[in-house]
Amino acid sequence: MTQAGKADPPANAASGTSTAMVPLGVGVAVLAISSAAPVIRLAAPLGPEVIACLRVSVSALVLALITHRATARALRLLASSRRDALWTILAGLCLAAHFGAWIASLSLTTVVRSVALVSTTPLFAGLFARALGDRAPLRLYVGTAVAIAGTLIMVEPGAASSEQAWLGDLLALSGAVTAALYLAIGRKVHAQLGDALPVEGYFVCVNMVAAVALWIFALTRGAELAPLGVTQTDYLAVLWLGLAPGIVGHGLLNWAVRRVPVHVVSLAALLEPAGAGLLAWGVLAEVPAAREILGAVLLIVGVSVGAWRRS
């Protein structure tokens, strides 16, 4: 007992220091992921399909280099199980659909509307879990109702609304749905394989599948990799998307959930629409309408209330 007591203070001190760094880490993560939407706009000479496939490719390749051992273990494990390999491929296709739809939405609707709508992913994830038999608390349905009210206010027909904007809103919502499916499938695969499947390796595998799918989609649509007017800055913007939001942002969020409850980090991540809106205002001079601000606030409140988690 005495020896254990002597060993405890350093461990506790290290744990306390690590936990104390969580607010800073989460803050940097939110700033990184909030930059995604405005930076996508800055890379506008490149088509949405090209931005999506380059963004995912950068994240996949860099992560594969950083976590090559975990990636190799994940590939070996998935290769030995055809069922889990097929589920992983499906998850990758859902991730590709998420990025493809959401990035395309940013060329059709405002940053605030697009980011707020795609942030409804937790609600769809909770509803999917309920459909699969998991228990869901009353707050899931209350939060969903509030989020729907916020959405209706935000996309109410007006001077800034058009058929094109509505299409962008629908694409953003479909991005939320496909992201929720991607998460649900990931949960299923990890439940089946347990700790034997490295999280980092699985993430790389899914991103690789998404990158291949997006490249096939872009090339079959005849997307131009070097369209007229594109500059080196546009490619640097895509590189930023793959490194900052894709690796730094989500990497820090994953680091944080190992030190504080998941729902705390999830609620902090809901600050992304506010961050993206402020950056769009400052960098792109895109001033959101009053109803868009009100609707986005209600939508995020609904998501935070309804964010489903086990007790």
Side-chain angles (χ1 to χ4, degrees):
M1 180 177 296
T2 303
Q3 292 178 346
K6 291 182 179 179
D8 283 342
N12 291 338
S15 177
T17 302
S18 178
T19 303
M21 293 295 292
V22 168
L24 176 60
V26 171
V28 173
V30 171
L31 183 61
I33 62 178
S34 296
S35 70
V39 171
I40 288 171
R41 284 285 189 85
L42 292 176
L46 293 170
E49 304 96 336
V50 175
I51 294 175
C53 62
L54 289 176
R55 183 253 190 247
V56 177
S57 297
V58 169
S59 295
L61 290 174
V62 174
L63 281 172
L65 292 174
I66 296 174
T67 64
H68 60 280
R69 293 182 180 177
T71 300
R73 290 201 305 273
L75 285 170
R76 287 195 298 267
L77 185 60
L78 292 172
S80 65
S81 173
R82 181 181 179 184
R83 179 185 61 181
D84 294 319
L86 291 175
W87 278 116
T88 302
I89 291 173
L90 182 58
L93 294 177
C94 288
L95 187 62
H98 159 71
F99 280 115
W102 177 58
I103 291 176
S105 77
L106 285 165
S107 63
L108 300 171
T109 190
T110 65
V111 168
V112 168
R113 284 164 67 156
S114 175
V115 178
L117 289 170
V118 83
S119 295
T120 58
T121 296
L123 290 182
F124 286 109
L127 293 173
F128 289 150
R130 178 66 184 90
L132 293 173
D134 287 343
R135 296 181 60 185
L138 177 62
R139 66 174 179 273
L140 172 64
Y141 304 105
V142 174
T144 301
V146 174
I148 290 174
T151 301
L152 292 176
I153 292 174
M154 185 169 56
V155 302
E156 178 189 3
S161 295
S162 64
E163 183 177 342
Q164 178 175 292
W166 276 85
L167 176 58
D169 296 337
L170 289 175
L171 284 171
L173 272 177
S174 67
V177 173
T178 48
L181 286 171
Y182 152 71
L183 294 173
I185 294 171
R187 179 184 173 189
K188 179 180 180 66
V189 173
H190 283 287
Q192 291 172 344
L193 297 178
D195 295 335
L197 179 64
V199 176
E200 298 88 346
Y202 170 79
F203 187 65
V204 171
C205 293
V206 171
N207 272 266
M208 285 180 172
V209 172
V212 171
L214 286 167
W215 274 110
I216 293 174
F217 179 73
L219 294 176
T220 54
R221 283 178 56 86
E224 297 184 47
L225 295 179
L228 186 65
V230 71
T231 65
Q232 184 179 6
T233 304
D234 300 317
Y235 292 110
L236 289 176
V238 175
L239 183 63
W240 171 271
L241 290 172
L243 296 178
I247 295 180
V248 175
H250 291 283
L252 283 173
L253 290 178
N254 280 281
W255 168 82
V257 297
R258 298 179 183 180
R259 290 157 178 81
V260 295
V262 175
H263 69 279
V264 174
V265 179
S266 299
L267 294 179
L270 290 177
L271 294 173
E272 179 185 357
L278 289 173
L279 287 173
W281 191 350
V283 177
L284 305 174
E286 183 178 291
V287 182
R291 74 169 191 285
E292 290 180 337
I293 296 175
L294 175 60
V297 169
L298 277 176
L299 189 152
I300 298 307
V301 168
V303 175
S304 64
V305 170
W308 178 83
R309 62 186 178 90
R310 291 185 182 276
S311 58

